[in-house]
Amino acid sequence: MPNLSRRTALRLTAGMALGAALPLSGCGRQDDAAAASGAKKVDASPATGTVNVWAAQGDADVLGTVVKPFKSANPGLVVKTTLIPNAEYYTKLQAAIAAGKGPDVAQFFPESQAQFLDSSTLRPVPEGLVDPGSFFKSLWDAGVVDDVAYTVPWYAYTYALVYRSDLAKKAGVQAPTTWAGMEPFLKALQGAGAAHALGADIGWDIFNGQDVAMYAWQAGGSLVTSAGKWNLNTPQMVDALDYNAAFFTAGTADTSGPTFLDAQPYFVSGKTASMITGPWVIGQLDTAAKKSGWTASHVATAPLPAGASSSVSFSAGGTWGVLADSGNTDAAWKLVRYLAKPSTQVAQYKGYGSLPAVISAWDDPAIKGQPLLDAFFTQLTNTRAFPQVSTWQQVATRLGKEVEAVAKGKQTAAKAAANIQAYAESVGTGTQ
């Protein structure tokens, strides 16, 4: 069962601040997945009837405004939107699906939607509904199983390095491009006045597990084999655990804080000077500093440093799917097609700050050229989807606990890698 915990809640609700604070002015893929599904094409005739939409509170709060042009163009259509508290969203959606009382269209999260990607739950995306190559590749791929696409990307985020540009300038250093350059960079920030250079969230939960999984990719590892078996007890996972632990053992991060809620105040005050985090924090920093313009003069962003293999990050955000038992699939898909348009995703950005999943939307003047978003765009072109395994959330949560033990010096990275492999094998992959 996916864990939409405190951090997810803030990720979903922080978009408004991002949009307000930044008023600055998949290549080669075809429609193979949709074609393989055999789904009927959706025509250009007006949508009619009623479409029930379920979404998690947060980015979906402005849906009523965003879909107004679509409703005006389709006067015979009624769109009923139900917003559910994000901590309860998947629980209620699963219950509704099991009871045969689900909506026509539902929001999903590409980092935790694997359990829904099946024709018994979702309708395959119709051929030609959207261009798969128009989205960030990993976001599209997160919804494809056995060459059949089940979800369409809506908004996107990933991690990048956010740091205090004023302290970096004082120290005479630039953002590191490799793991090896990370510790000298962080030490330099501390030398310039930061108490600790890296604000690493010590929730020791699913999100810390996902962070280390990302580092394992950077080291050249994989989380599952090509045959779909867990692949966590590897030298690359050991390297990832050691890399993360080194932030704490070197004194550039502190196991006692900050918590996720404290990250921005710590950063603004100089208790920390960098974060490996998502774009939502950018819009929160002026508020934390209680000074308009503080972010522009004190903050910079950069793509993540590369490990032995790459600087890859993970893709996350929001997607849309049409339920298998929808009573109005034609209108449902027409609404999803509208939500996937570049102009609609720009409207969503203007309304809430949700960053587009459609690559061309980033060329809009409302987004293009914003220096603090550039690193996130660059990083989104270098991302992977987490395993399409229904038990991934359980495994990532357990991995977070192993991360804590290594960071606090209570066990070795090798032992942690063995532990997480044993746990993952015990819960399986959710497939027969």
Side-chain angles (χ1 to χ4, degrees):
M1 180 62 208
N3 179 0
L4 297 185
S5 70
R6 55 183 171 78
R7 196 184 304 191
T8 305
L10 285 174
R11 286 172 178 173
L12 290 171
T13 57
M16 183 73 77
L18 175 63
L22 291 176
L24 312 175
S25 301
C27 300
R29 288 167 292 141
Q30 304 297 321
D31 289 333
D32 295 343
S37 73
K40 180 182 177 181
K41 288 187 177 182
V42 178
D43 62 28
S45 64
T48 59
T50 299
V51 171
N52 290 297
V53 180
W54 280 22
Q57 290 179 333
D59 296 78
D61 289 354
V62 298
L63 269 181
T65 299
V66 171
V67 302
K68 274 185 178 180
F70 180 76
K71 293 167 69 175
S72 296
N74 297 270
L77 178 70
V78 175
V79 178
K80 295 183 177 179
T81 302
T82 300
L83 298 181
I84 299 171
N86 47 68
E88 305 169 12
Y89 181 69
Y90 268 174
T91 301
K92 290 191 173 183
L93 180 61
Q94 282 184 316
I97 291 172
K101 297 180 179 179
D104 296 292
V105 179
Q107 178 193 353
F108 298 93
F109 306 97
E111 64 272 32
S112 60
Q113 67 187 21
Q115 63 183 306
F116 299 99
L117 304 180
D118 183 90
S119 59
S120 65
T121 302
L122 293 175
R123 297 260 180 167
V125 178
E127 180 182 358
L129 184 80
V130 295
D131 173 13
S134 67
F135 304 98
F136 291 107
K137 183 179 185 301
S138 61
L139 286 171
W140 177 263
D141 290 347
V144 178
V145 175
D146 295 332
D147 294 328
V148 177
Y150 291 99
T151 60
V152 174
W154 173 34
Y155 68 89
Y157 76 79
T158 190
Y159 275 6
L161 178 64
V162 179
Y163 65 96
R164 286 282 297 269
S165 57
D166 57 330
L167 296 182
K169 182 177 180 180
K170 180 180 178 181
V173 293
Q174 296 182 334
T177 58
T178 65
W179 281 11
M182 191 64 166
E183 184 175 334
F185 174 74
L186 296 177
K187 289 288 189 181
L189 294 181
Q190 288 185 191
H196 287 91
L198 180 64
D201 177 20
I202 42 76
W204 311 117
D205 52 18
I206 184 173
F207 300 102
N208 298 92
Q210 290 180 167
D211 293 349
V212 170
M214 173 180 70
Y215 298 148
W217 286 337
Q218 293 174 2
S222 62
L223 305 180
V224 294
T225 67
S226 59
K229 304 294 184 181
W230 287 112
N231 189 42
L232 303 170
N233 187 14
T234 63
Q236 293 83 6
M237 179 60 76
V238 172
D239 287 347
L241 287 158
D242 279 334
Y243 174 62
N244 182 77
F247 298 139
F248 301 95
T249 57
T252 53
D254 187 356
T255 57
S256 66
T259 64
F260 182 68
L261 292 173
D262 292 331
Q264 287 84 348
Y266 270 54
F267 184 81
V268 168
S269 68
K271 288 184 179 180
T272 61
S274 67
M275 297 179 279
I276 296 173
T277 189
W280 57 84
V281 301
I282 303 301
Q284 300 170 342
L285 295 175
D286 273 11
T287 300
K290 298 180 180 179
K291 183 179 180 181
S292 178
W294 184 91
T295 305
S297 60
H298 290 77
V299 181
T301 59
L304 296 179
S309 176
S310 70
S311 59
V312 68
S313 184
F314 62 86
S315 59
T319 61
W320 295 108
V322 173
L323 275 291
D325 59 359
S326 166
N328 193 355
T329 57
D330 181 72
W333 282 123
K334 286 173 180 176
L335 175 60
V336 171
R337 180 170 60 191
Y338 172 79
L339 291 168
K341 289 179 176 293
S343 59
T344 307
Q345 296 201 356
V346 170
Q348 176 70 24
Y349 169 78
K350 290 178 178 178
Y352 199 82
S354 315
L355 295 174
V358 177
I359 296 171
S360 63
W362 288 70
D363 288 329
D364 188 273
I367 303 173
K368 189 176 179 62
Q370 296 184 17
L372 295 179
L373 293 183
D374 287 348
F376 290 99
F377 177 82
T378 299
Q379 193 66 64
L380 277 165
T381 64
N382 183 22
T383 52
R384 292 184 192 174
F386 283 121
Q388 291 170 318
V389 171
S390 63
T391 54
W392 166 243
Q393 301 286 293
Q394 295 170 254
V395 172
T397 301
R398 178 59 181 267
L399 179 55
K401 301 300 182 183
E402 299 295 337
V403 168
E404 176 183 10
V406 178
K408 291 184 173 179
K410 295 182 178 180
Q411 72 178 7
T412 66
K415 177 62 175 174
N419 288 348
I420 190 57
Q421 178 71 23
Y423 175 80
E425 290 178 354
S426 74
V427 299
T429 60
T431 59
Q432 297 298 324

